[in-house]
Amino acid sequence: MSPLRRFLRTPEAVAGAILLAALIAMALSASLLFPGDPQAIAGPPLLPPFQDWSLPLGTDRLGRDVLAELFHGARTSLAVGLAAAAAALVVGAVVGTLAGFAGGLVDEVLMRITDAFQTVPSFLLALAFVSVVGPSLGIVVIAIALGTWTGPARIARAEVLSIRERDYVAGARVIGMHPLAIAFREVLPNALPPVLAMSSVIVAAAILTEAALSFLGLGDPNRVTWGGMIAEGRTVLRTAPFLSIVPGIALVLTVLGVYLAGEGIVETTAVRRGLS
Amino acid sequence: MSLLAVSNLTKRYRRGGKSITAVDDVSFHVDPGETLALAGPSGSGKSTIARLVLRLIEPDAGRIEFEGSDFLALSGATLRARRARLQMVFQDPLAAFNPRATVAHVLDDPLRIHDIASRAERPRRIAALLERVGLTADLAPRAIHEISGGQRQRVAIARAIATKPSLIVLDEAVSALDVSVRREILDLLLDLQHQEKIAYLLISHDLGVIRSVAHRIVLLDAGRIAESGNTRAVIDAPQSAIGKALLAAAPRLNRTAQDPT
Ligand SMILES: Nc1ncnc2c1ncn2[C@@H]1O[C@H](COP(=O)(O)OP(=O)(O)O)[C@@H](O)[C@H]1O
Ligand SMILES: [Mg+2]
C-alpha cells in the first residue's frame, strides 16, 4: 500500500489534514476575501455573531470585523509557525551535525551552548528576546527559534554519532572528500528523517508560542494575531465572550490539525521505511 | 624501494578501563605491483592495520612510509590529495556507499575531488570505468541499493581505480560474495594488477582466496605477526600455531595439502 493510501486510511491524519488545509486556505484567501485593512472599523462595536450577515462573526470592542481578523490572523500564525520551525530545524540540524561529526572540542563547546539554551525555558527566552529587541514579525520568529533549536540539535547529533562510524563515511574520507562536504553532503541528509519527524510538534509549539507572545502584547503591533485578539477580548470577557472564544477555538484547531497531520505523515512514512 | 613500508606499528584501544593492544609492533612492506596478504583469525587486528594504513585512525607508535615519503606526516589538503594513490575496497559493498547514492554519483566523486576530469568529460569517464570493471554504462543512473552484490563490489573497485592508485587495500573485499561471483571478482583484481601494476594489501581469513592471488603473506595473531613469507611456502607448511590452526579450518586446502594428487 502506498504511503498516501495509508495516510488516507488513518482518520486522525485525514482530520488533521482537513484542518490544516482549511487553515492554509484561510491564510491564502485572507487578502482576497477581506482586501481592506482588517484593523479598520467595519461596523458598530461589540456586534454579536450571526446578527448581520455582512459581518458574520460580529465585531470587536472597536467595531472591527472579527471574521476578517480571524483570516488575517491565520496568515500570521501560519507564517510565524512555519518560519520559526524551519529556522529551528535548520540551525539544530547544522549544529548537531557539526558537533557529532567533528567530536572533541567542537562537540564539547557546541553541546555546552546547547545545554545553556536548554536550561532556560524556551518561552522565557522568547519573552526576554522580544522585550529587549522589540516586537516585529522577524524578531518573533527568531525569538521562538531561539528556544526550539536545541531539540533538533540533540537528535541530529545522536543520529550523526551513529552514522559517522559507517563504512561509507570512511569511504568518503578514503576518496579524499573534504570533512565539511562529508558532514553536510554525506552525513546530514541521512540524519534528517528523525529530525524532520519532530517538525509537527515544533510547528504546533511555535504557533502556540507566537499566540502567547501576542497575548502578552509582544507580537508585531501592525498585524492581527489570534493571541492579540484573545487578549483584546479578555477586557470584555463577561459581556462578549465570543471575542476570546472564536480565536481560541481557531488556535486549538490549528495546533491540533498541524499535530495530527504531521504525526500521520511520520507514521505512514516510518512504516514504509521499516518495510523497505 | 618498497611502495608501502610499515614499521613498528602499534595501536591500543581502551575498553572499560583496560587497554587492548589491537596492533602490536607490526612491520611489513608491500612492493609495487605485488599482493601482500594479511591473514589471521577474527580480532587479530587486520582491519585495524587497514584503517591505520589508510589514515582513518592514527597509530600510537610506528612509521608508515608510502611512495617514498612519511605518510603519517601528511595532513589536511596534502593528505587528501595523496589519498588518490591509496584506495580501499570494503567488505560489505552496500555499507560502503551512501544509501542515497547512484552508481554515477559514487564514481563522479573521486573524479571531481581529484580534478581528474572536467564536468563535461565525467560521464564518459564514468562509462569507461564501468566498462573497465566488467559492467555496462547503462548502470550509471541506477541506485546503489538496486544493483546486485557482485555488481556493487565491481562499482567499489571502479571507484577505487578512478584515481589511478598504486595500492588498494582490500579488507575482506570478496568474503561477502558467493563462490562464483568471488572467482570473477578475483579474476578482475588480477587483471587490473597485470594491466595497471596496482599493488594490493589483501586482508582475508580465507586461505583459499589468499593462495590464489597473493604473492606473500603475513599471519597475524592477537595483533602480532606470527609468521610471514612466500604464500605457498607458508600455507603448505605453516610453522606457527596460528598458521596450523587456520589451515586446519580450511578443509578443502587441508585435503590438497595432504594429498598431493
Ligand atoms: N574502535 C575500537 N574500539 C575498541 N576496540 C577495538 C576497536 N576496533 C577494533 N578493536 C579491537 O581490536 C582488535 C582487533 O580488531 P580488528 O582489527 O577489527 O580485527 P580483525 O579485522 O582481524 O577481525 C579486536 O580485539 C577488537 O575488538
Ligand atoms: Mg576485520
Side-chain angles (χ1 to χ4, degrees):
Chain A
M1 196 163 34
S2 74
L4 184 64
R5 292 267 304 274
R6 200 174 303 116
F7 184 89
L8 292 176
R9 286 190 184 194
T10 317
E12 310 93 88
V14 173
I18 291 171
L19 286 172
L20 200 56
L23 175 76
I24 293 170
M26 278 172 78
L28 292 179
S29 65
S31 48
L32 285 176
L33 295 179
F34 305 97
D37 179 2
Q39 287 175 310
I41 310 293
L46 293 173
L47 181 71
F50 316 124
Q51 302 280 313
D52 176 351
W53 289 111
S54 67
L55 298 164
L57 287 182
T59 58
D60 70 2
R61 215 155 45 94
L62 300 175
R64 297 179 290 206
D65 181 352
V66 172
L67 190 64
E69 288 190 289
L70 203 63
F71 270 63
H72 282 269
R75 182 176 268 202
T76 314
S77 280
L78 199 65
V80 172
L82 290 179
L89 288 169
V90 168
V91 172
V94 168
V95 171
T97 300
L98 281 178
F101 190 74
L105 188 65
V106 174
D107 185 23
E108 194 68 26
V109 168
L110 288 176
M111 289 329 281
R112 287 300 148 268
I113 295 173
T114 309
D115 284 344
F117 272 90
Q118 216 160 19
T119 47
V120 186
S122 58
F123 185 65
L124 282 188
L125 201 61
L127 205 62
F129 188 75
V130 178
S131 318
V132 171
V133 186
S136 78
L137 211 58
I139 296 302
V140 171
V141 167
I142 296 174
I144 297 171
L146 224 48
T148 26
W149 64 272
T150 54
R154 283 189 182 284
I155 294 196
R157 177 176 175 272
E159 196 68 11
V160 167
L161 283 180
S162 91
I163 291 176
R164 74 167 187 181
E165 300 303 326
R166 308 236 173 110
D167 278 354
Y168 80 84
V169 175
R173 290 177 65 192
V174 167
I175 60 162
M177 196 179 284
H178 193 281
L180 285 176
I182 300 178
F184 290 110
R185 288 190 34 213
E186 305 287 314
V187 175
L188 177 64
N190 292 304
L192 274 184
V195 177
L196 291 180
M198 297 178 76
S199 42
S200 63
V201 178
I202 291 181
V203 172
I207 289 174
L208 277 179
T209 307
E210 188 278 330
L213 285 173
S214 306
F215 181 80
L216 295 178
L218 290 170
D220 189 329
N222 302 318
R223 279 169 192 273
V224 184
T225 64
W226 291 346
M229 289 169 73
I230 297 172
E232 272 280 295
R234 213 167 49 108
T235 54
V236 286
L237 194 59
R238 221 164 279 191
T239 49
F242 65 92
L243 286 179
S244 295
I245 292 172
V246 166
I249 290 175
L251 190 61
V252 169
L253 291 180
T254 298
V255 169
L256 203 63
V258 168
Y259 179 77
L260 290 178
E263 287 299 287
I265 292 171
V266 170
E267 292 276 299
T268 46
T269 50
V271 172
R272 187 179 56 113
R273 268 206 309 277
L275 285 178
S276 67
Chain B
M1 194 176 51
S2 304
L3 178 64
L4 175 77
V6 168
S7 28
N8 310 105
L9 202 61
T10 299
K11 177 70 183 176
R12 294 182 203 92
Y13 285 113
R14 40 184 63 264
R15 201 193 285 148
K18 66 173 180 155
S19 160
I20 317 165
T21 307
V23 175
D24 190 358
D25 199 25
V26 164
S27 305
F28 61 86
H29 67 95
V30 182
D31 287 329
E34 126 179 285
T35 299
L36 176 73
L38 281 183
S42 174
S44 57
K46 306 183 294 295
S47 294
T48 305
I49 292 176
R51 297 169 70 79
L52 286 167
V53 164
L54 286 152
R55 291 286 305 274
L56 291 170
I57 52 175
E58 298 302 312
D60 292 305
R63 274 181 66 78
I64 299 174
E65 220 165 283
F66 177 63
E67 291 186 330
S69 64
D70 182 356
F71 196 52
L72 292 176
L74 303 179
S75 65
T78 359
L79 173 61
R80 289 198 298 276
R82 184 60 72 84
R83 285 185 182 285
R85 305 287 296 159
L86 176 48
Q87 283 297 303
M88 174 161 190
V89 176
F90 293 85
Q91 169 168 4
D92 177 357
L94 190 55
F97 297 118
N98 189 330
R100 294 159 178 267
T102 61
V103 171
H105 189 106
V106 154
L107 297 178
D108 191 71
D109 280 342
L111 298 176
R112 175 176 45 81
I113 291 166
H114 295 286
D115 228 346
I116 290 169
S118 67
R119 177 189 285 268
E121 208 188 326
R122 273 183 247 144
R124 260 197 313 114
R125 291 295 278 266
I126 290 168
L129 280 170
L130 286 172
E131 273 152 28
R132 183 68 193 83
V133 296
L135 298 170
T136 50
D138 59 9
L139 217 60
R142 303 275 294 278
I144 282 293
H145 63 82
E146 292 175 348
I147 63 179
S148 75
Q151 288 175 322
R152 233 176 257 143
Q153 204 57 307
R154 285 177 193 270
V155 173
I157 293 168
R159 175 164 77 166
I161 61 171
T163 55
K164 303 209 176 305
S166 58
L167 175 65
I168 300 180
V169 176
L170 307 161
D171 188 356
E172 303 278 8
V174 295
S175 308
L177 305 173
D178 54 41
V179 180
S180 61
V181 179
R182 179 180 305 171
R183 190 65 255 168
E184 287 170 19
I185 299 286
L186 287 174
D187 288 342
L188 170 63
L189 290 170
L190 284 174
D191 181 51
L192 284 170
Q193 185 164 57
H194 289 141
Q195 302 291 322
E196 333 265 343
K197 301 279 169 286
I198 302 173
Y200 296 128
L201 182 60
L202 172 81
I203 293 174
S204 182
H205 61 271
D206 183 336
L207 293 185
V209 166
I210 289 172
R211 183 143 85 165
S212 67
V213 294
H215 303 104
R216 290 186 302 118
I217 183 170
V218 168
L219 279 180
L220 290 163
D221 185 15
R224 295 184 142 269
I225 294 184
E227 180 173 3
S228 66
N230 181 284
T231 306
R232 261 160 210 285
V234 170
I235 290 182
D236 290 345
Q239 303 298 307
S240 62
I242 200 74
K244 289 173 182 155
L246 281 176
L247 186 64
R252 191 170 49 84
L253 274 175
N254 201 13
R255 204 181 310 125
T256 51
Q258 281 166 358
D259 173 10
T261 59

